[in-house]
Amino acid sequence: MSPRAEHRVVRFSVFEADLDARELRKNGVKLRIQEQPFQILALLLERPGEIVGREEIQRKLWPEDTFVDFEQGLNSAVKKLRESLGDSAETPRFIETVPRRGYRFLHNVTSEPEALMEVRAEVPEPVRPPPRAAQRKNTIWLRSEERRG
């Protein structure tokens, strides 16, 4: 086992993103998502509520020596990401487009340690049975002739 057995997991709404394993789950079910859309999601999740600039995304996802139509590639990757999240550009719940600047993640996120504390806080106390003396036995006694009968 590696020294770092834990994964960086970020939760938002019904989604969970494992940033180390590069997996996205919805209600515990793993979703199919391509590498570039997931990388964009990871960048946005690292700084929720802040604008992540188009130039920063370009530097992280497309090396300088890569010749690609960046605008088309970025738009396509964001569109696929929104499809995976069930989000839309017109009425965003998760990813807001900031014209000519970049993108912003809108939803609250929790990282693994915080999420575990929240889950533990929501678990109700176990229901304990009453003490043995307070329990009542319901025993029906039959006469010997009724048992044969």
Side-chain angles (χ1 to χ4, degrees), residues 23 45 65 76 78 82 106 132 141:
E23 293 178 350
L45 290 174
D65 59 349
S76 175
V78 170
R82 283 185 170 132
L106 299 173
R132 197 95 165 106
W141 297 96

Side-chain angles (χ1 to χ4, degrees), residues 142-149:
L142 299 176
R143 292 186 207 136
S144 59
E145 54 275 352
E146 289 175 341
R147 279 187 266 173
R148 288 187 220 141

Side-chain angles (χ1 to χ4, degrees), residues 14 29 52 94 113 117 120 124:
V14 296
V29 177
V52 178
F94 300 110
M117 289 189 322
R120 287 186 191 123

Side-chain angles (χ1 to χ4, degrees), residues 39 43 46-47 52 54-63:
Q39 287 178 345
L43 284 171
E46 289 174 2
R47 298 185 353 229
V52 178
R54 298 172 71 79
E55 296 78 24
E56 179 180 352
I57 295 170
Q58 183 176 17
R59 281 193 310 273
K60 299 235 177 169
L61 270 64
W62 287 276

Side-chain angles (χ1 to χ4, degrees), residues 8-46:
R8 294 178 302 149
V9 176
V10 178
R11 290 188 174 91
F12 57 97
S13 184
V14 296
F15 295 95
E16 176 180 284
D18 186 328
L19 302 179
D20 295 324
R22 298 188 181 280
E23 293 178 350
L24 179 64
R25 288 183 163 69
K26 179 179 182 182
N27 292 321
V29 177
K30 185 177 173 183
L31 300 176
R32 293 180 61 140
I33 185 169
Q34 294 177 340
E35 182 66 20
Q36 285 183 336
F38 187 86
Q39 287 178 345
I40 292 170
L41 176 62
L43 284 171
L44 294 170
L45 290 174
E46 289 174 2

Side-chain angles (χ1 to χ4, degrees), residues 31-122:
L31 300 176
R32 293 180 61 140
I33 185 169
Q34 294 177 340
E35 182 66 20
Q36 285 183 336
F38 187 86
Q39 287 178 345
I40 292 170
L41 176 62
L43 284 171
L44 294 170
L45 290 174
E46 289 174 2
R47 298 185 353 229
E50 296 179 28
I51 297 172
V52 178
R54 298 172 71 79
E55 296 78 24
E56 179 180 352
I57 295 170
Q58 183 176 17
R59 281 193 310 273
K60 299 235 177 169
L61 270 64
W62 287 276
E64 286 183 32
D65 59 349
T66 303
F67 296 101
V68 65
D69 181 353
F70 166 70
E71 294 297 323
Q72 179 65 29
L74 178 60
N75 292 338
S76 175
V78 170
K79 181 178 179 184
K80 289 176 184 175
L81 175 56
R82 283 185 170 132
E83 287 172 1
S84 295
L85 298 174
D87 203 11
S88 75
E90 295 79 30
T91 55
R93 291 182 1 210
F94 300 110
I95 301 170
E96 175 188 25
T97 301
V98 181
R100 294 183 287 290
R101 292 185 61 201
Y103 299 92
R104 178 182 2 237
F105 195 79
L106 299 173
H107 208 279
N108 291 331
V109 301
T110 54
S111 62
E112 184 64 24
E114 293 170 13
L116 286 176
M117 289 189 322
E118 287 175 14
V119 169
R120 287 186 191 123
E122 293 174 10

